[in-house]
Every structure is written in C-alpha cells, then in structure tokens.
Amino acid sequence: MTAEAAIHEHFEEHVHPGASVYVTVAAFLVVLTAMEITVFYVSALASVMIPLLIILSVAKFALVAMFYMHLRYDSYVLTSIFMFALAIAALLLIALLLLFAYLSHYLWFMVPLARILLPGH
Amino acid sequence: MRARFARRKFSGLAPLGLALTAVLAGCQKANPPMDTLAPKSDFANWIYGLFVEVTAWDLFILLIVVVAFVLAVFVFSRRDGEAEAASTVHTDMRLELAWTLGPAFILLMISIPTIRTIFREELPAPPANSLKVSVIAHQWWWEFRYPGTSIVTANELHIPEHRPIWVSLRTADVIHSFWVPALGGKRDVIPGQINHLWFIANTPGEYYGQCAEFCGDSHANMRFRVFVDTPEQFAAWEKNQEAGPVQPASGTAAAKGAAIFANSPCTACHTITGVSKGYIGPNLTHIATRTTIAGAIMKNDPKDLKAWIENPDALKPGANMPTLGLRGPELDNLVAYLESLK
Amino acid sequence: MAAQPKPIPAEYPSYLKGDPIGWLNTIDHKRVAVLYGVSALLFMVLGGIEALLIRIQLFEPNNKFLSAHAYNQVFTMHGTTMIFLVVMPLLLGAAANFIVPLQIGARDVAFPRINALSFWIFLSGAAFLHMGWFWHHGGLPDAGWFGYANLTERQYTPGMAIDFWDIGLLILGISTVLTGLNFFTTIVTMRAPGMTYMRMPMFVWSILITSILILLAFPPLTVGLIFLFMDRFFGTHYYQAVAGATPILWQHLFWLFGHPEVYIMALPAFGMISELLPTFSRKPLFGYPMMVYSVILIAFLSYGVWGHHMFATGMGPVADATFAITSMLIAIPTGIKIFSWIATVWGGSLRMTTAFYFALGFIIEFTIGGLSGIMHASVPIDLQQTDSYFVVAHFHYVLFGGVMFAILGSFYYWWPKVTGRMLNEKLGKLQFWLTVIGFNGTFFPMHFLGTWGMPRRIYTYGAGMGWTFWNQFETVSAFILGLAFLIMFINLLTSLFNGEIAPADPWDGRTLEWSMPSPPPAFNFVTIPEVHARDAFWARKYGSTGSRASQAPAVAGDPPNTEAAEHIHMPEPSFFPIVLAGGLLLCGLGMVVAWWRLIMAGGAIIFLSIIGMAFQYPTFGQKTHETEAASGGGGEDLRKVGVWAFIGSESVFFATLIATFMVYKSRNLGGPGANVLEIPLTSFSTFILLMSSLLMVLALAATQRGDRVWQRVWLCGTVIFGLIFLGDQAYEFTSLYGHGLGFTTDLFSQCFFTLVGFHGAHVAIGVIWLSVLLVASFMDRLPKSRALSVELAGLYWHFVDIVWVVIFTLVYLMQKVKGA
C-alpha cells in the first residue's frame, strides 16, 4: 500500500537532533537568562527594561519550543496546534489587561471613530 | 439632537418596525407599568428609536428567510424523495457573495447608530446642570441620597422633569442592577465600583423600577418607584425631606409609638433624624411620604405596614429585618407613629 | 421508500451484544455513546420537570407554589442541568462519540479508555451537583447557572450548595476537556485514507472545531472556579470588593468560557443539520467550503464577544463599542450558514421524514433566535433587554429552537444506526407538531414579556404588571411541550421492543456510517474504507458525479469478510475509568466536607488508577492503533497530537492565571507587594529548570539510541533537578511567609502563590511522571521502540519549563513594573 508506505517514510523523517545541538541550545538559554538578570539589575536599562525582557524571554521560549520540543523537526500540525493556542492565550491576556484599563490608552483609536460618527457632539 | 433622532427613526424600514411594535402594544389593553416601548426620557427614546430600527431590519431579514424557505420547501423542490433531485448545484459564487455582503451591509447600518448612541449615553462626567442622585443597592431594597442635601430616602426616587439626572450607583453587598424601563436601560450596581447612568425625564408621572440582576432569595422583591415631578412639586418635596421628622402630639397613639420606637431594636438599623442612627435598613424619617414599603412590594398603609413588621420574612424571604415579636396595641401605636412621619 | 438493501448477514455480532457487565468496563466508543445518551435523557427528564416547576410558579402573580429559595434552586439547576448534563452530553458524548469514528472510517476514538473515563467522570460530576440534596446544610445550588460572584461567596451564600456546584462543575470540566482532547486527536489523526480535511462530513468538521473551542475555552472557567473555591475555603479575596479585588473578574472569566460554550453547543447542532438536509433533499450540501470557513470564523470570533454579556456592567463606551462590533460580525458567518442550508433544500427531491421536519423547523426557529441576538449586540437595546425575559426568549430560540431541534432530528436520523430499529414516523410527526406549538407558545410570548419589562429569575411578580396573561399562556404551552417529550419517550421505548428492524441504509445516506450494518459490529469497519469524494458513501453508491442513477444502489454495506474480521484487535476493556471517576468523586466530596482522609483516599485511588492504566497493556509505550487509520496529523503519532492539544489547553489555563496576576497586582492595596521577591534564588531555579530540560532531551536522545545506561542517568538527573527546583520553591515560599507575605495577605500574594503554586504543582506532576519512567527504565521496559513515552513526558516537562520562562520574566523580573 503506497499511502501507508508514504506515511511510514514520513514518520521516519522526523530525525531528532543529537546531543551537540541540545547542549548548544542550553548554552544559549543560559546566556539569555544571564542577560535577563543583567537587564534587571542595571538601572541604566530601566527605560527599555520591559521590551528587552519580553524579547529575551520570547527568545528562550522559542528555543525550548523549537529544539527541545522538536517543533522545528516535527510536523507543522503540531506547530499549528501550539501557535493557535498561544494566539488565543495571548489575545485573552491582552484583552483582559485592556478591559481592566491598564493599557486603555492604546484603545483610544476608538474615540476619533466615535467623533466621526457623532458630528456635533 | 432629538430632532435628528426622530427623523432617522422614521426612515427606511421603520414603518415595518412600528407596525410590529403597534401589534405588540395592541395585545395589551393598558400599558404595562414597566413597558420599554413607552419611553419617557431621552435615553429611553434613543433606545426605542434604535429598537424600532433594528426590529425593522430583523423583520426584513426574517421575511427573506421565510420566503426563501417556503419557495425552497414548497415550490422549487419535488416532494417525492425518490426521483433524481431537480438540481445538484452546490455552489454559486454570486449567491454566496450576496448573502455575505448583504448582511454585512445591514450590520453596518445597525452599528453606526449603535455606536453613536453608546457614546451619547455613556458620558465620562455629569452633563451640565444635572441633578446628582446617589443610589445604594441593598439586599433587597434601594437607598437614594441626594449629594449636597441631607435627604436620604428608600425605594422611591423623586426627580424633576426636563433636567439631566446623573445617577451614581453603589452597592452595600452583592451585584444588583438599576432599571426603570420607562426612563432607559439598566446599569449594574457592582461592589467596589461606582457606575453611572444619566437621562432627562420628559413626562411627570410614577414609573416602576426593579432590580434586574439576580441578587439572592428576594431578588423578585427588590422593586422601586421613580416619581418624575414638575420643578415646583420637586422643590416642595425636597424642602419637606430636608426638614426633621414630625413630632407627634403628646398623648396620641403616635406619641406612644414614638416611645416604643425609641426603645426598640428598630433603632439599631433604622434612622429617624434626631431619634436613631441605624444605617442597615431604610431611613424612616419621612416614611409616611412614601406610597410603598418593603422594596415597593406592599402599599404604605397601616394594614400592610403592620403585616410587614409582624413577619418580614414571610413577605420578603430572606429579609434582614428580624421578627421582633411586637403585638397588639404596641404594634398599632408603632404603626400610627410611622404613618405620622410625613 | 428507498429500494430496500438486502439485510446484512449477521456474521459479526452487533456492539450491543454481550455481557451486561461489559457496560461498566467498556471502552467501545459506541457503548460509551449509549451510556452518555441514556444518562443525558434521564437528566433531560429532570431538567424538564424543573422547567415545568418554573412555569407552574409563574402561572399567576404572587404564586405560593414554590418558595423563593426553592424557585432559585430550581432555575439554577434547570440551567446547569440542561447545559452541562443534557445538551453537551447528547451532542458530544452521545452523537459525536457514536458518529464521528463511523463517519471518518475509524475503529474507535483515539483514546478509548479516556473516552470511557470522560463518561464516568461526567456521571460523577452530575451526581456531585445534586449531592447537596442529602446534606442538612446543603440543598441544591441556588445562585444561577452563571453563579455571579460575589453572591456566591460564603458571606452571601453560606452552606454547602455552592461548594457542590463549584466542584461539580470542575469535575464536569475535566470530563469535557478530556472529550475535546479525544475528538480533536481522533479527527486529526484517524481519518480513513483519502479523507482530506475538505472531504470530511460537515458534522465531523463541526466537532473538530467544537473540540478546539472546548480545549481553549474551558480553562478560564476552571480558573474562575478554582478562585471561587479558594475564596470559599481558604479566605482569599478574588471576587470580594476588599483589598482592590472585583467581582467583575468572575464575569470576565465566566463569559470567556460562556460565550464559546454557546458555540460548543451550537456548532455540533449546525453540523447535524448539515448532515440531515442534504440526505433528505438528495442534494449535496450547498457551499461546503463556505460552510467550513463559516464554522471556523464563528469559532474564532466567539472568543472575542464575551463582553456582550456584560454591557450593563459599565465597561465603558470603548469596550462596549468594540464588543458590539465583534458580536455583530459573528452574524455574518451565521447568515451564510442559514442561506446555504436553504439553498441545499432548494431544488431537491425531498423526503418528508420526521428527522427532516425537525431540520427544517430548526432553520426558522434558529433564525428567529439569531435575529433577536442582533438586537442584543446593539448595546443600548441590550441595556433594556438584558436580564429581561427577552433574553430568555432569545437563548431558548437558539438553544431549544436551534440546538434541541437538531438533537431531536438527529434522534430520528441516527436511532436506526444506534439501535437497529426504526422509530415510528407517525408518532414522530405528532411529536414534531406538538413541539413546534409548545415551543413557540412557551417562548415567543417571552419577547413580549421582556419588552414589557419582566426581569429574569424572579420567583414572583405583582398582579398589576400586565404580565399575567402571557405567563399563563406560556405555562399551558410548556405542558404541551412536555407532552411532546412524553410522546418521544413512548416512541423510543416502543421502538426498542417493537420497532421495525432497520436496514443498514434506511435514508439512502451519504456518509460512511450508513455503509455498515445497523447496529454496527464492535470494530466498526471490517476493512478501513478508502475515500475518494466528499460524500464518501454516496459516491461509492452512485459514482462520484453525484448524479443518482435510477436503479437501486450498487453497494449497500460492507461485503462480509470473515477472514479480515479475525485479524482486528480491539483494545481490552478496562475497569480503571470507572474506578478513577469514583476516586474523583470521593476527592471532591472530601473537599466539600473538609475531611482530609476522604481526599487522601480519593487521591490515592486516582493515582493508582492512572498508574494502572499506564501499565495495563503489555504494549505500554507502543503504537496501539494500526497505521492504516493514521493518515492525518502529518504522520505524527496520535498520542503526540493529544499531548500537544493538552499543552495548548494548558497554555490558556496559565494565560488566565497570569492575566489575573497582572490585573490584580496593579489593583493591590497595601501589603508588602512584589518587591520582596528574590531574584538570585529564582535565577538559580530558572537555571536548574533549564538544565533539567537539557537532561530531559539527552535522556530522549539516549533512548532513541537504545542506550539504557545514559537513559537512566539523564532521567535520574532530570528528576533530581526537578526536585531541586521544588525545594527552592518550598524555601522561597517559607521565606516569603517569614517576611509576612502569607497566602491571603493581600491581592498580590494570593495571585502570586496561586500562579507560582500551580506551576510548582505541574513540576511535581512532571517529577512523578518521570519517576514512573525511571522505574520502567530500571525494569527494562523502556527500549528504543518506546522512545515515544520519553518524548511525551519530555514535551510536558519542557512546557512546564517555558511556562516558568514566562513567569520568571513577568512575575519576578518585572516586579517593579506597576500594573503590568
């Protein structure tokens, strides 16, 4: 059965990386963590702390997901599952923060819209 | 502002909507006291106009669906179930585009007035010359205060006509919802948060309100009344409320009742200015000026008041007011006193 | 009638035959579906009686039939029962469970034992909800199915009823999430060869999307219920307006679940209708691709509309306008579906069966419900209508006129396949007309009552309100509706004993379930079919042109093939699901009555059952399903897909916890605050956890090489590092406690301990999981061929690691940031 053979072949294609890749990724993770802690302690970086920390942690997140969780090597199906869930999770987080008014000034784009709709108000 | 609204209300498909609302209203001989279709404030009017408009669009869509349905089921199909289907068409780009864009257009038509009304009725600060009213919801009655005055009353809100009313909503316990259908939409009353509502009442009269958010055992018994007064009536009412309580003439039943009140546990929860300072229950300083008692579920007459004091829990399940065991002449005197507090 | 296909020879016994004990340990998806169906029907009787009690009470003003307290219990349980114990189990537990594997050409669902587990957990959760009845301080829950805080706090609702409700819903949530996980994995990985996504029957599509909704929508409810539990038992203040908290949080969490939940109930119904209409019109579904995209769009939008349940709460004009727009958008794909259904019928050759009657009734009734929904999306109108009977009318048109009509139609449609007997069409049509009269008579006047200002959830009303006549009309109609259901039950029972024997394909069906005998054998398909077209069975019968030849179908049912059947190995039945569900019940009961021994006993039963399940089969860690069914999933093992789906669900769980932490951190009043968190210590923890992930992948690499020594070393290392992390956390918590930061000290501390504590609990579960693998490794039961077992544990372990990466940044490193 060709379909079965194709599936089997596909299944075998998922060769996971060896120990050297894993150790390199670990080294990167340690370096990134060290950078994060530096950002926390160096007061000169205070103004850019939030974006820096977010970038660094996203990098760590991505490294673990791609290499240790093999998303880079496995089927796109698994990546899609995870990315979709992450998208919903992120939207939920942002929406709740907006609704509880911590980032509400970002939502004021609605006000000009209302002005257009409300001439003379 | 109102003129523009009125014009829009009668545009387009509005007659259809009006027809339905007319049928709706026609089913009932007298206007139900909490009818949302008899708006008596600008806020309620805006909503009513929007309601008529959306109802019209809804009926229009329903008509299309029903006509298509009837044609599909009864006209353009064979009903033998055996023969080859008359058509095996299972896709049509133009049709599919039409029923995607058509509804999108209708929704756009609905969303524009919707957003306009949202921004019109949800103001960040009180409008100019508004009367501020502070509402405090309790399980299961309403307290009304007028900031800047000493007026504290319960279950019956007096407001003047043709003046913006800025209502601040707070709660003493759980979530409630303040709703007077004739004067506009409802607004929840939420612990730890002050919500606002504003409207301009345009017709003097007595309007029914009721808590609209489930708030425990006696949710159904948390009603209230709003009296829209002429400015003169309102000024008179205000003056009377600000005055102290009526002092009963000595020797009358009311005077005996006053003594009973002053020495009863009633004082722990109820305020009568100069007599007691309780704040858990309604302020009774001018209870006799109110037409109802117990969250507007009973008339304010000696018979009902007596029944209420005798056993509050039987009339309003879960009520915080205890049964004090007052009976006979004692109770009659107390009731006489309360009914004298004009 | 269609040309009768020849009866299928009874070569293979039907799935219904066999030992009655087999119903307790069954893991056959069809038997589990029947169990679900029977229990849901019993709960339907209960929920229906509750509905009639409500209607009797409202028959006249100032009625004394029920006390206020009794009425509140009845309407709370009517809502909870109908949603969680009737509609969802009927749609998912019964219909999807039975039909999906048959429609996609699979022998069972992806995880048959978890499927059985779902059912038994469902049953214990359902029992749990009603248990308060037996306690003196109990009673049934009485705060509404929506259970708005802070009314649900112990201060306002003492007694055990809300505890039973809270934990009961948590238990039901576990069951539902497991179901979602199972169906998702089944549909992604187990479709028959050739069944591409765009060839799947519409019902399968709707269940796939519903499963995604379940996985991503239940976590907010779970978190909300956990907070409520903590408030009621541990004295935290998640929903009390003290210390800066707000009860509005509950509403957000509840409706974040609650609105997708509406579509969890509606989408399967849409799917059913999309099966029924083409079959009885003898036409393919109109606009299949658009129907698919609509379902996807509805599901996605449903996450962004929860605020329309909260327009009256004062979210502000910006949020109100935003939610109004998203809510209106959802009407577009819904409109596409309605018009496409009508176009499906248009020009067909209709067979007017009862099932088709209900499907047609659905179109009109659901449209009415959808149109009143548009009114609610318009915020100002909603301010008049919300919490009035208008809303009651609206959602009963959606959930009864829509979902229940679809379910009733499906009863008549699939009953022959499930039981092998036909239902009586005459009784069916009588039931249909009584349902239409009773349903519209009950719920249409509610539009009037709502417009006339009658609020929801009131146990009584005054005489002068002008509501009396229609209330009496509704009560009478409700009894007509009750009569319709009585006729249905009579029809079901008489069919079981006296019904006409059903042929394999009574409706000249289009999908694969009609290709097998009624009822099907335990293993479903003798040979897994190959699929070449969208309506797979129709194409097999009449050719892929879709044109129907005038003669009888060429193929009806699988040709008997006894030899092939002998080679089918179905997994063994298992008693672990029912035992585990019992343990969960004990555990929950122990929590409510605060009896630690009961919790421990329940916990021990759960733990041992899981271990038992893991080692039940000698094929532990190996692929148990034949590759012939595994065409989807990009060739990934179905267990891996399942674990990833679980990780997706967990992501939303942690996102909800993190969101709450961030919101409440900035509302925190007083208390030591975030500045007491120690960076050096937690940096070390971070390092340890990252390194444990390294050891974990090295263990996997060793297993894949077949290197048992290093496998043990690395696994052991991972476990030790995990334990060090937990030790660090224990030390951190004690030292924080020493600094005066207790669990309930302030808003910050309760959210911090909850978030970090739940992460710690995940690490602990990971450690246990890895320890089990370590034991397996020392028992020489982790050879190269079972590398997947290590990989799955690793995925979970790494996920816990990346959650920590996020927590470390947002909680620890951003501790000085106010409000975010």
Side-chain angles (χ1 to χ4, degrees):
Chain A
M1 223 182 226
T2 50
E4 214 175 294
I7 291 162
H8 195 64
E9 205 170 284
H10 192 59
F11 195 77
E12 289 297 300
E13 259 175 33
H14 296 167
V15 181
H16 291 145
S20 60
V21 177
Y22 291 144
V23 174
T24 317
V25 171
F28 271 107
L29 288 173
V30 171
V31 171
L32 287 170
T33 307
M35 284 164 75
E36 281 187 323
I37 297 163
T38 318
V39 172
F40 176 79
Y41 280 113
V42 176
S43 53
L45 291 173
S47 56
V48 287
M49 185 181 87
I50 295 178
L52 272 182
L53 284 179
I54 288 176
I55 291 168
L56 289 170
S57 63
V58 166
K60 282 163 73 181
F61 191 102
L63 280 177
V64 175
M66 283 164 65
F67 290 93
Y68 288 179
M69 297 169 95
H70 309 123
L71 283 182
R72 197 162 170 265
Y73 308 99
D74 283 352
S75 160
Y76 73 98
V77 174
L78 304 181
T79 314
S80 340
I81 295 172
F82 191 42
M83 290 314 286
F84 185 75
L86 279 186
I88 293 288
L91 286 176
L92 182 152
L93 184 86
I94 293 168
L96 279 178
L97 291 183
L98 284 173
L99 282 164
F100 282 93
Y102 299 112
L103 306 167
S104 61
H105 47 279
Y106 289 122
L107 250 191
W108 285 111
F109 65 87
M110 287 297 287
V111 170
L113 185 67
R115 292 240 167 81
I116 297 165
L117 295 168
L118 268 178
H121 187 73
Chain B
M1 194 192 274
R2 205 172 300 156
R4 193 170 64 233
F5 236 90
R7 202 170 56 242
R8 212 165 36 69
K9 187 165 74 189
F10 294 103
S11 69
L13 293 153
L16 206 57
L18 279 180
L20 178 92
T21 42
V23 170
L24 246 173
C27 294
Q28 196 77 359
K29 284 181 201 84
N31 237 3
M34 288 189 40
D35 195 353
T36 60
L37 303 181
K40 295 286 190 283
S41 80
D42 58 344
F43 180 26
N45 250 325
W46 297 341
I47 298 178
Y48 176 68
L50 209 52
F51 176 72
V52 171
E53 197 171 322
V54 178
T55 306
W57 281 116
D58 273 2
L59 288 176
F60 175 65
I61 300 168
L62 187 62
L63 192 72
I64 293 177
V65 171
V66 169
V67 167
F69 178 85
V70 169
L71 290 178
V73 177
F74 298 100
V75 181
F76 288 110
S77 301
R78 310 169 55 143
R79 312 230 296 154
D80 49 13
E82 277 301 298
E84 185 102 18
S87 144
T88 49
V89 175
H90 54 81
T91 182
D92 184 323
M93 199 61 190
R94 277 168 306 172
L95 259 181
E96 291 177 52
L97 208 61
W99 63 54
T100 309
L101 295 182
F105 170 76
I106 294 176
L107 290 169
L108 186 70
M109 295 313 288
I110 295 173
S111 62
I112 290 172
T114 294
I115 292 175
R116 288 161 75 122
T117 315
I118 291 173
F119 279 88
R120 190 177 276 135
E121 55 85 7
E122 294 185 34
L123 295 184
N129 184 35
S130 54
L131 176 76
K132 294 183 183 62
V133 178
S134 177
V135 173
I136 301 158
H138 300 257
Q139 274 180 329
W140 291 276
W141 60 282
W142 297 88
E143 181 173 349
F144 302 117
R145 294 168 184 250
Y146 294 72
T149 73
S150 62
I151 301 173
V152 182
T153 181
N155 301 325
E156 294 192 0
L157 177 67
H158 281 255
I159 54 169
E161 60 171 334
H162 295 313
R163 186 174 164 193
I165 309 297
W166 178 259
V167 185
S168 306
L169 299 158
R170 271 174 292 187
T171 170
D173 35 58
V174 299
I175 299 179
H176 302 275
S177 191
F178 179 88
W179 187 29
V180 193
L183 301 179
K186 58 186 75 65
R187 182 69 73 207
D188 291 353
V189 191
I190 294 161
Q193 171 175 341
I194 303 176
N195 274 347
H196 298 288
L197 197 64
W198 80 278
F199 53 83
I200 304 172
N202 56 28
T203 314
E206 178 185 356
Y207 303 108
Y208 283 45
Q210 186 158 354
C211 174
E213 187 58 87
F214 181 66
C215 55
D217 274 357
S218 266
H219 166 56
N221 296 323
M222 191 170 163
R223 308 172 201 168
F224 63 104
R225 303 280 163 89
V226 176
F227 292 84
V228 176
D229 298 335
T230 61
E232 300 76 42
Q233 285 172 333
F234 183 72
W237 178 82
E238 215 175 7
K239 187 161 170 255
N240 181 54
Q241 294 287 314
E242 287 212 79
V246 173
Q247 298 299 332
S250 58
T252 58
K256 288 180 198 157
I260 294 167
F261 180 87
N263 295 312
S264 73
C266 304
T267 54
C269 299
H270 295 284
T271 292
I272 292 179
T273 311
V275 180
S276 61
K277 285 182 178 170
Y279 58 87
I280 291 170
N283 184 306
L284 302 177
T285 310
H286 295 285
I287 184 178
T289 61
R290 309 206 277 260
T291 63
T292 59
I293 54 167
I297 56 171
M298 303 164 81
K299 284 200 295 286
N300 187 5
D301 61 23
K303 185 173 138 281
D304 276 14
L305 188 56
K306 211 168 128 180
W308 170 247
I309 296 172
E310 271 178 337
N311 193 352
D313 197 66
L315 299 161
K316 187 189 267 193
N320 285 326
M321 179 155 152
T323 302
L324 294 175
L326 289 166
R327 300 216 186 293
E330 232 185 2
L331 182 56
D332 289 334
N333 291 339
L334 181 63
V335 168
Y337 170 60
L338 291 175
E339 293 295 2
S340 77
L341 294 172
K342 288 283 182 194
Chain C
M1 286 299 286
Q4 286 285 352
K6 282 175 196 148
I8 302 291
E11 246 89 3
Y12 324 116
S14 105
Y15 76 98
L16 290 167
K17 298 249 161 61
D19 193 0
I21 293 292
W23 287 93
L24 296 180
N25 65 355
T26 183
I27 59 168
D28 176 357
H29 72 103
K30 297 180 290 301
R31 283 190 164 205
V32 173
V34 169
L35 288 173
Y36 260 117
V38 171
S39 348
L41 284 176
L42 291 177
F43 286 119
M44 185 195 268
V45 175
L46 192 62
I49 290 172
E50 283 157 354
L52 291 178
L53 290 176
I54 293 174
R55 285 317 321 164
I56 295 173
Q57 168 69 9
L58 295 178
F59 184 72
E60 54 187 14
N62 303 315
N63 199 350
K64 297 274 188 288
F65 176 69
L66 291 178
S67 71
H69 189 59
Y71 181 86
N72 294 344
Q73 296 177 49
V74 168
F75 87 70
T76 300
M77 286 315 289
H78 169 70
T80 311
T81 303
M82 285 304 189
I83 288 170
F84 292 106
L85 312 185
V86 177
V87 170
M88 284 176 66
L90 279 179
L91 288 172
L92 299 164
N97 223 338
F98 199 98
I99 299 303
V100 165
L102 303 188
Q103 284 194 336
I104 63 173
R107 293 203 200 285
D108 207 315
V109 292
F111 309 108
R113 281 178 307 174
I114 289 183
N115 195 25
L117 184 62
S118 285
F119 168 72
W120 293 111
I121 293 181
F122 155 75
L123 203 61
S124 34
F128 201 80
L129 276 174
H130 292 87
M131 268 187 185
W133 194 254
F134 302 106
W135 260 267
H136 179 56
H137 295 291
L140 293 174
D142 58 352
W145 90 278
F146 51 94
Y148 269 11
N150 54 344
L151 183 62
T152 49
E153 295 283 355
R154 207 169 281 288
Q155 182 186 358
Y156 297 109
T157 311
M160 294 151 75
I162 299 294
D163 301 331
F164 278 111
W165 178 80
D166 185 79
I167 296 172
L169 285 195
L170 278 171
I171 294 176
L172 287 172
I174 296 172
S175 150
T176 314
V177 168
L178 290 178
T179 302
L181 201 67
N182 218 336
F183 290 164
F184 178 81
T185 313
T186 306
I187 298 171
V188 169
T189 61
M190 294 177 68
R191 282 167 287 126
M195 183 172 278
T196 58
Y197 282 107
M198 291 313 264
R199 281 184 190 159
M200 291 197 311
M202 207 53 216
F203 182 65
V204 176
W205 254 114
S206 67
I207 296 299
L208 175 65
I209 302 295
T210 303
S211 312
I212 297 174
L213 281 177
I214 288 173
L215 289 174
L216 304 185
F218 265 76
L221 177 70
T222 307
V223 171
L225 291 168
I226 289 171
F227 289 166
L228 179 62
F229 178 81
M230 289 181 171
D231 272 11
R232 287 183 69 90
F233 285 90
F234 304 142
T236 54
H237 308 290
Y238 276 103
Y239 304 129
Q240 284 165 324
V242 294
T246 168
I248 285 294
L249 177 69
W250 164 265
Q251 296 191 20
H252 282 300
L253 297 182
F254 184 79
W255 291 118
L256 259 166
F257 145 79
H259 205 82
E261 167 72 14
V262 171
Y263 291 97
I264 289 170
M265 293 187 280
L267 291 186
F270 291 176
M272 289 169 162
I273 296 299
S274 304
E275 295 298 309
L276 266 63
L277 291 178
T279 302
F280 293 108
S281 309
R282 297 180 182 281
K283 272 184 68 197
L285 185 67
F286 192 92
Y288 176 93
M290 283 294 265
M291 291 294 247
V292 170
Y293 304 143
S294 308
V295 171
I296 296 173
L297 194 61
I298 289 174
F300 187 76
L301 282 173
S302 76
Y303 284 102
V305 300
W306 80 90
H308 70 221
H309 296 267
M310 300 168 62
F311 282 148
T313 61
M315 293 184 294
V318 177
D320 282 355
T322 314
F323 280 121
I325 292 172
T326 53
S327 307
M328 285 183 190
L329 281 180
I330 219 166
I332 297 175
T334 314
I336 293 174
K337 294 199 81 77
I338 288 172
F339 287 115
S340 301
W341 283 324
I342 296 177
T344 303
V345 180
W346 193 292
S349 172
L350 315 186
R351 192 200 299 194
M352 304 308 286
T353 60
T354 308
F356 193 44
Y357 271 37
F358 275 109
L360 292 175
F362 166 96
I363 296 180
I364 297 298
E365 310 289 11
F366 178 75
T367 303
I368 296 174
L371 290 173
S372 53
I374 294 178
M375 291 187 174
H376 301 140
S378 178
V379 182
I381 303 180
D382 183 72
L383 292 181
Q384 283 284 28
Q385 293 177 344
T386 185
D387 281 323
S388 81
Y389 262 84
F390 200 95
V391 172
V392 181
H394 160 70
F395 70 74
H396 278 97
Y397 266 86
V398 174
L399 290 181
F400 196 112
V403 178
M404 194 45 95
F405 269 58
I407 290 175
L408 293 175
S410 301
F411 259 128
Y412 283 85
Y413 183 60
W414 278 311
W415 182 265
K417 186 53 66 186
V418 175
T419 62
R421 303 234 180 205
M422 304 297 286
L423 282 167
N424 184 318
E425 283 287 312
K426 274 197 185 126
L427 278 180
K429 282 174 186 161
L430 178 64
Q431 184 206 341
F432 171 78
W433 287 114
L434 284 176
T435 306
V436 168
I437 295 167
F439 163 71
N440 286 292
T442 309
F443 296 106
F444 200 81
M446 288 187 185
H447 290 110
F448 307 153
L449 290 174
T451 351
W452 294 335
M454 182 166 171
R456 287 173 80 174
R457 300 157 187 150
I458 52 172
Y459 78 95
T460 188
Y461 55 93
M465 302 305 290
W467 301 330
T468 314
F469 172 74
W470 285 116
N471 268 306
Q472 295 179 339
F473 187 89
E474 285 167 7
T475 303
V476 173
S477 306
F479 275 90
I480 297 177
L481 195 52
L483 183 64
F485 276 97
L486 190 65
I487 290 172
M488 180 185 83
F489 280 106
I490 291 170
N491 200 350
L492 297 186
L493 288 176
T494 48
S495 159
L496 280 184
F497 300 106
N498 280 323
E500 194 192 326
I501 301 291
D505 182 19
W507 315 119
D508 199 3
R510 311 180 75 86
T511 39
L512 287 174
E513 75 269 33
W514 304 110
S515 73
M516 63 186 62
S518 306
F523 46 79
N524 298 350
F525 296 91
V526 180
T527 47
I528 298 296
E530 276 204 52
V531 175
H532 303 286
R534 194 168 286 157
D535 287 324
F537 185 49
W538 184 268
R540 201 200 293 178
K541 285 188 290 189
Y542 303 113
S544 55
T545 54
S547 171
R548 184 168 170 268
S550 53
Q551 71 269 27
V555 188
D558 279 317
N561 185 347
T562 326
E563 277 173 47
E566 281 167 5
H567 295 288
I568 299 169
H569 292 287
M570 298 304 285
E572 293 294 309
S574 168
F575 275 109
F576 286 117
I578 188 169
V579 173
L580 199 160
L584 204 57
L585 191 70
L586 284 186
C587 212
L589 200 57
M591 285 181 192
V592 174
V593 300
W595 191 20
W596 289 102
R597 285 176 202 173
L598 211 52
I599 301 178
M600 298 304 284
I605 292 173
I606 294 172
F607 181 73
L608 293 176
S609 314
I610 293 175
I611 301 287
M613 253 193 197
F615 288 93
Q616 185 183 13
Y617 298 148
T619 52
F620 159 76
Q622 278 174 340
K623 287 165 77 75
T624 49
H625 287 265
E626 293 157 56
T627 42
E628 60 182 343
S631 76
E636 297 294 350
D637 188 280
L638 48 86
R639 280 166 297 170
K640 210 155 143 186
V641 174
V643 167
W644 269 108
F646 175 68
I647 286 176
S649 185
E650 286 268 74
S651 308
V652 179
F653 176 82
F654 275 107
T656 316
L657 283 177
I658 291 171
T660 307
F661 170 81
M662 288 168 80
V663 165
Y664 271 179
K665 178 186 166 190
S666 51
R667 293 175 73 104
N668 191 26
L669 305 172
N675 295 332
V676 296
L677 299 181
E678 245 190 276
I679 295 300
L681 176 72
T682 46
S683 302
F684 176 67
S685 296
T686 307
F687 175 75
I688 287 293
L689 207 55
L690 289 173
M691 287 308 103
S692 77
S693 269
L694 173 64
L695 300 188
M696 186 70 234
V697 277
L698 290 178
L700 174 62
T703 313
Q704 283 167 338
R705 288 198 309 273
D707 184 341
R708 297 192 186 183
V709 176
W710 283 106
Q711 176 196 52
R712 284 169 201 173
V713 171
W714 296 134
L715 271 180
C716 203
T718 317
V719 169
I720 289 170
F721 274 33
L723 288 172
I724 294 177
F725 178 87
L726 288 176
D728 267 2
Q729 200 166 48
Y731 172 77
E732 185 199 6
F733 281 13
T734 5
S735 89
L736 286 176
Y737 196 74
H739 282 90
L741 200 69
F743 184 36
T744 58
T745 305
D746 57 19
L747 273 193
F748 166 77
S749 71
Q750 71 185 29
C751 299
F752 168 80
F753 283 114
T754 308
L755 170 60
V756 179
F758 263 104
H759 177 264
H762 278 73
V763 176
I765 290 170
V767 167
I768 294 171
W769 189 345
L770 292 174
S771 310
V772 172
L773 284 185
L774 196 58
V775 171
S777 170
F778 279 109
M779 288 162 70
D780 274 340
R781 291 187 71 176
L782 266 188
K784 193 176 173 179
S785 57
R786 292 172 190 176
L788 189 72
S789 300
V790 181
E791 193 178 347
L792 296 182
L795 284 176
Y796 175 85
W797 188 258
H798 301 308
F799 171 71
V800 173
D801 187 11
I802 53 179
V803 169
W804 180 256
V805 166
V806 176
I807 291 178
F808 182 60
T809 306
L810 292 180
V811 176
Y812 289 94
L813 294 178
M814 292 196 188
Q815 58 178 259
K816 288 174 194 155
V817 179
K818 290 260 182 273

